Amino acid sequence: MQDAKKITLAIESSCDETAAAVLKGGRRILSGVIFTQIPVHQKYGGVVPEIASRRHIAKIMPVIDEALVKAGVTLGEVDQIAVTYGPGLVGALLVGVSAAKALAFARNLPLIGVNHLEGHIFANFLCHEELEPPFVALVASGGHTALMRVDGYNDFSLLGNTRDDAAGEAFDKIARVMGLPYPGGPEIDRAARVGDPTAIDFPRALLTKGNYDFSFSGLKSAVLNYLNERKMKGEKINTANVAASFERAVVDVLVIKSFEALEETGLDTLVLAGGVAANSSLQRELKNAADKIGVRFFCPTPDLCTDNAAMIGCRGFYQAAAGKFADLDLNAAPSLGLQNSASTDSDFGGESRP
Ligand code: KG4
Ligand code: ZN
């Protein structure tokens, strides 16, 4: 069958969203359904893994059914199944992986194991028809911050990676200490809009030229120390200024390293991905810097920045087009990261399917 007509059912359950989507070809979303557990986890100030797994179990089949109905597609019309197998919470991942394997086995359909972080990058293909590799991708999510050189749909090289806390993790931890609800990223984004980003001089780490790794734990500690000192002295904390100054420190590092990577690779296209890509200041600063030197800048729409299954379907489609399928022994890989494509071929479980 022609690839452009292939129907992919995609499943995502790596953290606190149970999601399914149906795609026609690589880039056309027929349906996307997301059941978010955020309100459940909010009262604990973060994701409780056991609760997440139980919620996924209760919701996975209804969400898949709804995605098929909304797409006007029956299970019999599905050509392949793509599922996130890592990184994420092991119990949460296993729910999606088990559902996908059961459906693939029952219907004798090809199974595609997708790296969630690669999925985030591919969300951009769903939003920008004209986007093609090569480009530099900045991935900033709850658990990872990385720079990738993307030379083809299955050809990646890792330029730099998370050393300690990821960008999203720092947003969430600082918001929590400031008494803002989970997830902290959107809350800090909102608070920062009315704050002064130059009010407090927080540190920027690993800014040596040619170093594309990221470290946000020092920044996190500096903000926590600042807040504790003010509290101990009984001084009032200006939440907007702290949020804006912290956010500026994160954004500065992400912008500087992204543009150094563009300079070193000689590429003229920058792609932003992951939940932190929804940050308004980060989007604005990257766009401004890109416009100044004639670099093309792409970012997904807000609903496709954060976790969703459509991006998993898109990544899965391009993997399948290159014959990268998984076997039915596909397992959850909670600590899967971004790697060079040459080293990931074995992770797909071989090329056992057509
Ligand atoms: O990619 P994602 O939805 O889940 C993971 O794969 O981790 O990313 C979630 C992260 C959270 O840390 C959340 O606080 C952050 O993305 N986030 C934001 C914004 N929206 C979500 N961070 C900064 N500004 C935002 N507007
Ligand atoms: Zn994610």
mmCIF file with all atom_site columns, all heavy atoms in Angstrom, residues 12 14 116-117 120 141-142 274-275 305-307 311, ligand 2:
data_model
loop_
_atom_site.group_PDB
_atom_site.id
_atom_site.type_symbol
_atom_site.label_atom_id
_atom_site.label_alt_id
_atom_site.label_comp_id
_atom_site.label_asym_id
_atom_site.label_entity_id
_atom_site.label_seq_id
_atom_site.pdbx_PDB_ins_code
_atom_site.Cartn_x
_atom_site.Cartn_y
_atom_site.Cartn_z
_atom_site.occupancy
_atom_site.B_iso_or_equiv
_atom_site.pdbx_formal_charge
_atom_site.auth_seq_id
_atom_site.auth_comp_id
_atom_site.auth_asym_id
_atom_site.auth_atom_id
_atom_site.pdbx_PDB_model_num
ATOM   1  N  N   . GLU A 1 12  ? -0.103 6.659  23.596 1.00 0.00 ? 12  GLU A N   1
ATOM   2  C  CA  . GLU A 1 12  ? 0.894  7.326  24.462 1.00 0.00 ? 12  GLU A CA  1
ATOM   3  C  C   . GLU A 1 12  ? 0.402  7.254  25.916 1.00 0.00 ? 12  GLU A C   1
ATOM   4  O  O   . GLU A 1 12  ? -0.729 7.643  26.207 1.00 0.00 ? 12  GLU A O   1
ATOM   5  C  CB  . GLU A 1 12  ? 1.036  8.786  23.997 1.00 0.00 ? 12  GLU A CB  1
ATOM   6  C  CG  . GLU A 1 12  ? 1.483  9.797  25.028 1.00 0.00 ? 12  GLU A CG  1
ATOM   7  C  CD  . GLU A 1 12  ? 2.895  9.596  25.561 1.00 0.00 ? 12  GLU A CD  1
ATOM   8  O  OE1 . GLU A 1 12  ? 3.793  9.230  24.782 1.00 0.00 ? 12  GLU A OE1 1
ATOM   9  O  OE2 . GLU A 1 12  ? 3.079  9.792  26.785 1.00 0.00 ? 12  GLU A OE2 1
ATOM   10 N  N   . SER A 1 14  ? 3.116  7.633  28.708 1.00 0.00 ? 14  SER A N   1
ATOM   11 C  CA  . SER A 1 14  ? 4.399  7.601  29.421 1.00 0.00 ? 14  SER A CA  1
ATOM   12 C  C   . SER A 1 14  ? 4.368  8.292  30.775 1.00 0.00 ? 14  SER A C   1
ATOM   13 O  O   . SER A 1 14  ? 5.174  7.992  31.638 1.00 0.00 ? 14  SER A O   1
ATOM   14 C  CB  . SER A 1 14  ? 5.489  8.233  28.554 1.00 0.00 ? 14  SER A CB  1
ATOM   15 O  OG  . SER A 1 14  ? 5.194  9.591  28.319 1.00 0.00 ? 14  SER A OG  1
ATOM   16 N  N   . HIS A 1 116 ? 9.595  8.473  23.028 1.00 0.00 ? 116 HIS A N   1
ATOM   17 C  CA  . HIS A 1 116 ? 8.740  9.629  23.313 1.00 0.00 ? 116 HIS A CA  1
ATOM   18 C  C   . HIS A 1 116 ? 9.412  10.964 22.943 1.00 0.00 ? 116 HIS A C   1
ATOM   19 O  O   . HIS A 1 116 ? 8.758  11.881 22.418 1.00 0.00 ? 116 HIS A O   1
ATOM   20 C  CB  . HIS A 1 116 ? 8.420  9.598  24.817 1.00 0.00 ? 116 HIS A CB  1
ATOM   21 C  CG  . HIS A 1 116 ? 7.606  10.732 25.309 1.00 0.00 ? 116 HIS A CG  1
ATOM   22 N  ND1 . HIS A 1 116 ? 6.233  10.733 25.277 1.00 0.00 ? 116 HIS A ND1 1
ATOM   23 C  CD2 . HIS A 1 116 ? 7.970  11.927 25.853 1.00 0.00 ? 116 HIS A CD2 1
ATOM   24 C  CE1 . HIS A 1 116 ? 5.788  11.865 25.782 1.00 0.00 ? 116 HIS A CE1 1
ATOM   25 N  NE2 . HIS A 1 116 ? 6.817  12.607 26.139 1.00 0.00 ? 116 HIS A NE2 1
ATOM   26 N  N   . LEU A 1 117 ? 10.721 11.064 23.191 1.00 0.00 ? 117 LEU A N   1
ATOM   27 C  CA  . LEU A 1 117 ? 11.429 12.333 22.943 1.00 0.00 ? 117 LEU A CA  1
ATOM   28 C  C   . LEU A 1 117 ? 11.568 12.598 21.446 1.00 0.00 ? 117 LEU A C   1
ATOM   29 O  O   . LEU A 1 117 ? 11.455 13.739 20.993 1.00 0.00 ? 117 LEU A O   1
ATOM   30 C  CB  . LEU A 1 117 ? 12.798 12.312 23.624 1.00 0.00 ? 117 LEU A CB  1
ATOM   31 C  CG  . LEU A 1 117 ? 12.716 12.159 25.145 1.00 0.00 ? 117 LEU A CG  1
ATOM   32 C  CD1 . LEU A 1 117 ? 14.076 11.815 25.730 1.00 0.00 ? 117 LEU A CD1 1
ATOM   33 C  CD2 . LEU A 1 117 ? 12.171 13.427 25.787 1.00 0.00 ? 117 LEU A CD2 1
ATOM   34 N  N   . HIS A 1 120 ? 8.341  14.019 20.357 1.00 0.00 ? 120 HIS A N   1
ATOM   35 C  CA  . HIS A 1 120 ? 8.193  15.467 20.563 1.00 0.00 ? 120 HIS A CA  1
ATOM   36 C  C   . HIS A 1 120 ? 8.748  16.248 19.362 1.00 0.00 ? 120 HIS A C   1
ATOM   37 O  O   . HIS A 1 120 ? 8.140  17.199 18.895 1.00 0.00 ? 120 HIS A O   1
ATOM   38 C  CB  . HIS A 1 120 ? 8.922  15.903 21.837 1.00 0.00 ? 120 HIS A CB  1
ATOM   39 C  CG  . HIS A 1 120 ? 8.061  15.793 23.074 1.00 0.00 ? 120 HIS A CG  1
ATOM   40 N  ND1 . HIS A 1 120 ? 6.871  16.460 23.199 1.00 0.00 ? 120 HIS A ND1 1
ATOM   41 C  CD2 . HIS A 1 120 ? 8.224  15.106 24.231 1.00 0.00 ? 120 HIS A CD2 1
ATOM   42 C  CE1 . HIS A 1 120 ? 6.331  16.192 24.382 1.00 0.00 ? 120 HIS A CE1 1
ATOM   43 N  NE2 . HIS A 1 120 ? 7.126  15.367 25.033 1.00 0.00 ? 120 HIS A NE2 1
ATOM   44 N  N   . SER A 1 141 ? 11.744 19.033 27.894 1.00 0.00 ? 141 SER A N   1
ATOM   45 C  CA  . SER A 1 141 ? 10.511 18.457 28.457 1.00 0.00 ? 141 SER A CA  1
ATOM   46 C  C   . SER A 1 141 ? 10.660 18.363 29.968 1.00 0.00 ? 141 SER A C   1
ATOM   47 O  O   . SER A 1 141 ? 11.579 18.937 30.559 1.00 0.00 ? 141 SER A O   1
ATOM   48 C  CB  . SER A 1 141 ? 10.261 17.082 27.845 1.00 0.00 ? 141 SER A CB  1
ATOM   49 O  OG  . SER A 1 141 ? 11.191 16.155 28.338 1.00 0.00 ? 141 SER A OG  1
ATOM   50 N  N   . GLY A 1 142 ? 9.750  17.614 30.605 1.00 0.00 ? 142 GLY A N   1
ATOM   51 C  CA  . GLY A 1 142 ? 9.782  17.491 32.062 1.00 0.00 ? 142 GLY A CA  1
ATOM   52 C  C   . GLY A 1 142 ? 11.019 16.749 32.548 1.00 0.00 ? 142 GLY A C   1
ATOM   53 O  O   . GLY A 1 142 ? 11.552 17.041 33.617 1.00 0.00 ? 142 GLY A O   1
ATOM   54 N  N   . GLY A 1 274 ? 8.911  19.566 22.937 1.00 0.00 ? 274 GLY A N   1
ATOM   55 C  CA  . GLY A 1 274 ? 8.759  19.176 24.338 1.00 0.00 ? 274 GLY A CA  1
ATOM   56 C  C   . GLY A 1 274 ? 7.856  20.138 25.076 1.00 0.00 ? 274 GLY A C   1
ATOM   57 O  O   . GLY A 1 274 ? 7.577  21.241 24.584 1.00 0.00 ? 274 GLY A O   1
ATOM   58 N  N   . GLY A 1 275 ? 7.400  19.757 26.271 1.00 0.00 ? 275 GLY A N   1
ATOM   59 C  CA  . GLY A 1 275 ? 6.438  20.573 27.022 1.00 0.00 ? 275 GLY A CA  1
ATOM   60 C  C   . GLY A 1 275 ? 6.896  22.004 27.251 1.00 0.00 ? 275 GLY A C   1
ATOM   61 O  O   . GLY A 1 275 ? 6.093  22.945 27.155 1.00 0.00 ? 275 GLY A O   1
ATOM   62 N  N   . CYS A 1 305 ? 2.718  20.640 21.778 1.00 0.00 ? 305 CYS A N   1
ATOM   63 C  CA  . CYS A 1 305 ? 3.990  20.797 22.514 1.00 0.00 ? 305 CYS A CA  1
ATOM   64 C  C   . CYS A 1 305 ? 4.017  19.789 23.657 1.00 0.00 ? 305 CYS A C   1
ATOM   65 O  O   . CYS A 1 305 ? 5.009  19.117 23.895 1.00 0.00 ? 305 CYS A O   1
ATOM   66 C  CB  . CYS A 1 305 ? 4.113  22.201 23.118 1.00 0.00 ? 305 CYS A CB  1
ATOM   67 S  SG  . CYS A 1 305 ? 4.597  23.476 21.963 1.00 0.00 ? 305 CYS A SG  1
ATOM   68 N  N   . THR A 1 306 ? 2.912  19.718 24.413 1.00 0.00 ? 306 THR A N   1
ATOM   69 C  CA  . THR A 1 306 ? 2.861  18.811 25.564 1.00 0.00 ? 306 THR A CA  1
ATOM   70 C  C   . THR A 1 306 ? 2.458  17.413 25.073 1.00 0.00 ? 306 THR A C   1
ATOM   71 O  O   . THR A 1 306 ? 2.183  17.209 23.886 1.00 0.00 ? 306 THR A O   1
ATOM   72 C  CB  . THR A 1 306 ? 1.881  19.354 26.625 1.00 0.00 ? 306 THR A CB  1
ATOM   73 O  OG1 . THR A 1 306 ? 0.709  19.796 25.966 1.00 0.00 ? 306 THR A OG1 1
ATOM   74 C  CG2 . THR A 1 306 ? 2.480  20.515 27.387 1.00 0.00 ? 306 THR A CG2 1
ATOM   75 N  N   . ASP A 1 307 ? 2.431  16.437 26.003 1.00 0.00 ? 307 ASP A N   1
ATOM   76 C  CA  . ASP A 1 307 ? 2.272  15.034 25.600 1.00 0.00 ? 307 ASP A CA  1
ATOM   77 C  C   . ASP A 1 307 ? 0.975  14.758 24.832 1.00 0.00 ? 307 ASP A C   1
ATOM   78 O  O   . ASP A 1 307 ? -0.099 15.207 25.226 1.00 0.00 ? 307 ASP A O   1
ATOM   79 C  CB  . ASP A 1 307 ? 2.357  14.139 26.848 1.00 0.00 ? 307 ASP A CB  1
ATOM   80 C  CG  . ASP A 1 307 ? 3.765  14.142 27.411 1.00 0.00 ? 307 ASP A CG  1
ATOM   81 O  OD1 . ASP A 1 307 ? 4.678  14.643 26.735 1.00 0.00 ? 307 ASP A OD1 1
ATOM   82 O  OD2 . ASP A 1 307 ? 3.937  13.619 28.530 1.00 0.00 ? 307 ASP A OD2 1
ATOM   83 N  N   . MET A 1 311 ? 1.919  12.896 17.877 1.00 0.00 ? 311 MET A N   1
ATOM   84 C  CA  . MET A 1 311 ? 3.373  12.982 17.612 1.00 0.00 ? 311 MET A CA  1
ATOM   85 C  C   . MET A 1 311 ? 4.001  11.586 17.597 1.00 0.00 ? 311 MET A C   1
ATOM   86 O  O   . MET A 1 311 ? 4.963  11.341 16.859 1.00 0.00 ? 311 MET A O   1
ATOM   87 C  CB  . MET A 1 311 ? 4.061  13.885 18.655 1.00 0.00 ? 311 MET A CB  1
ATOM   88 C  CG  . MET A 1 311 ? 4.082  13.309 20.070 1.00 0.00 ? 311 MET A CG  1
ATOM   89 S  SD  . MET A 1 311 ? 4.793  14.483 21.254 1.00 0.00 ? 311 MET A SD  1
ATOM   90 C  CE  . MET A 1 311 ? 5.109  13.370 22.652 1.00 0.00 ? 311 MET A CE  1
HETATM 91 ZN ZN  . ZN  B 2 .   ? 6.685  14.569 26.831 1.00 0.00 ? 2   ZN  B ZN  1
#
